[in-house]
Amino acid sequence: MSAPALWCTGPGEVQTRPGAMGEGVHVRTLFSGISRGTERLVLSGRVPASEHDRMRAPYQEGDFPFPVKYGYAAVGLVTEGALQGRHVFALHPHQTEFRLPEAALTPLPQALAPERAVLAANMETALTILWDSGAGAGDRIAVIGGGLVGLLVASLAARLPGANVTVIDPQTDRAPLAQALGCAHAAPEDAPEDQDVVIHTSATEAGLTLALSLAGSQAQITEASWHGAAQIALPLGGAFHSRRLKIVSSQVGTIPPDRAPRWTYRRRLAVALDLLADDRLDALISGESDFTDLPAAYPGILADPGTLCHRIRY
């Protein structure tokens, strides 16, 4: 059994091809979300050979670099079994329908619209980044990169009592989005210094270099970007050592060590879904396409720097 699915077939090339249905409970897909940063690396064939296994998405078909059926933000309607009639989120590639074990389906909270639930995987990433950053009440927090993950991290940080959060991005059209989420916005040249917490999400060498310059004495820079095969040069001279700065990585593939004894992946995803019950986050859906139009539109969606989360309607 198979169903139409989106496949990356070569650098910048996509096709609709049959995808395996899988086994378990039947789900009819309603929406899925394009995660621009990761999917752009996949489409360009820039997943390093050393990361081919770790970068596999759940229920991916094919192997890197090509052809691969990729994606991890599907929202659908269960058509049978104990969850029949429920809207669910699943870490599944872009495909019109599929079957998964019931344990792999997470029912949506009643307060969460299915259209917004495509942000769940990115919100889960943002929650993990915030944990890894150690940000707390009253902190001065700089988030470098006003893309989807950066804005979600900033929205969570802004909920900390007394926190002063600045989103730093050269795109001035991100300012209203940041402000609507309770944050300030600054261009890189106007970014505030002496920050307690710096979180980097821009996936650029310039952004990480800026992060070093904004961190206050003994502060931590949390590197949340994934650079693929790119080599990043950093100015680790100057005041890097005298200010005793720290650079730590954040990765959603594991639960942070200090939470691992108590948190499961399912618990984290359930909390991420609860955190999406915020109407302001609808502004992070930057566009929508029908699945039938996706092969022609997909490369342009990923190439557009204005893309935050692009929603696919089935």
Side-chain angles (χ1 to χ4, degrees):
M1 294 288 291
S2 64
L6 188 76
W7 288 76
C8 297
T9 55
E13 299 175 359
V14 291
Q15 296 178 8
T16 300
R17 292 183 176 183
M21 282 289 290
E23 297 181 357
V25 178
H26 180 259
V27 178
R28 179 169 59 85
T29 312
L30 300 176
F31 307 98
S32 62
I34 295 174
S35 184
R36 178 177 179 252
T38 305
E39 294 188 44
R40 183 172 53 166
L41 286 171
V42 171
L43 182 61
S44 65
R46 289 186 290 140
V47 177
S50 63
E51 300 303 306
H52 281 187
D53 288 339
R54 278 189 288 266
M55 272 294 295
R56 288 190 68 85
Y59 310 106
Q60 172 184 323
E61 283 188 86
D63 297 308
F64 297 119
F66 304 106
V68 288
K69 181 182 84 173
Y70 200 78
Y72 46 81
V75 178
L77 182 70
V78 180
T79 66
E80 61 189 22
L83 294 176
Q84 184 174 5
R86 293 290 303 273
H87 292 114
V88 295
F89 177 83
L91 295 166
H92 195 280
H94 308 296
Q95 185 166 310
T96 59
E97 57 180 322
F98 53 86
R99 289 183 176 275
L100 287 182
E102 189 173 299
L105 304 174
T106 304
L108 303 190
Q110 292 297 324
L112 177 58
E115 291 87 346
R116 194 186 310 141
V118 295
L119 297 170
N122 298 110
M123 179 60 92
E124 191 174 20
T125 299
L127 177 60
T128 305
I129 292 167
L130 190 68
W131 284 343
D132 284 328
S133 76
D139 277 341
R140 294 188 296 265
I141 303 167
V143 179
I144 300 174
L148 176 59
V149 171
L151 288 168
L152 285 171
V153 172
S155 75
L156 295 180
R159 303 186 197 189
L160 295 169
N164 188 331
V165 183
T166 305
V167 175
I168 300 159
D169 194 285
Q171 297 187 64
T172 57
D173 61 352
R174 298 292 160 88
L177 286 171
Q179 291 160 4
L181 296 172
C183 309
H185 176 275
E189 60 272 20
D190 298 321
E193 299 180 349
D194 197 29
Q195 298 293 287
D196 300 302
V197 174
V198 181
I199 298 168
H200 177 237
T201 68
S202 80
T204 66
E205 181 177 301
L208 188 51
T209 299
L210 177 64
L212 291 174
S213 71
L214 302 184
S217 179
Q218 301 191 50
Q220 173 178 300
I221 297 101
T222 302
E223 174 54 283
S225 303
W226 190 62
H227 298 272
Q231 296 293 312
I232 303 299
L234 291 180
L236 298 183
F240 177 75
H241 288 281
S242 63
R243 285 188 288 146
R244 299 183 67 85
L245 302 180
K246 292 189 295 184
I247 303 175
V248 303
S249 64
S250 180
Q251 216 290 326
V252 72
T254 57
I255 303 290
D258 60 338
R259 284 177 166 77
R262 302 173 305 280
W263 284 79
T264 63
Y265 293 108
R266 191 169 185 86
R267 179 185 175 192
R268 183 178 62 178
L269 179 56
V271 170
L273 288 167
D274 286 338
L275 290 168
L276 288 175
D278 182 343
D279 292 347
R280 300 176 301 169
L281 299 178
D282 286 335
L284 303 183
I285 306 295
S286 55
E288 183 176 279
S289 298
D290 289 336
F291 177 76
T292 53
D293 299 329
L294 197 55
Y298 190 72
I301 292 166
L302 297 182
D304 183 357
T307 298
L308 292 170
C309 177
H310 192 94
R311 185 168 58 212
I312 304 166
R313 182 181 291 270
Y314 292 79

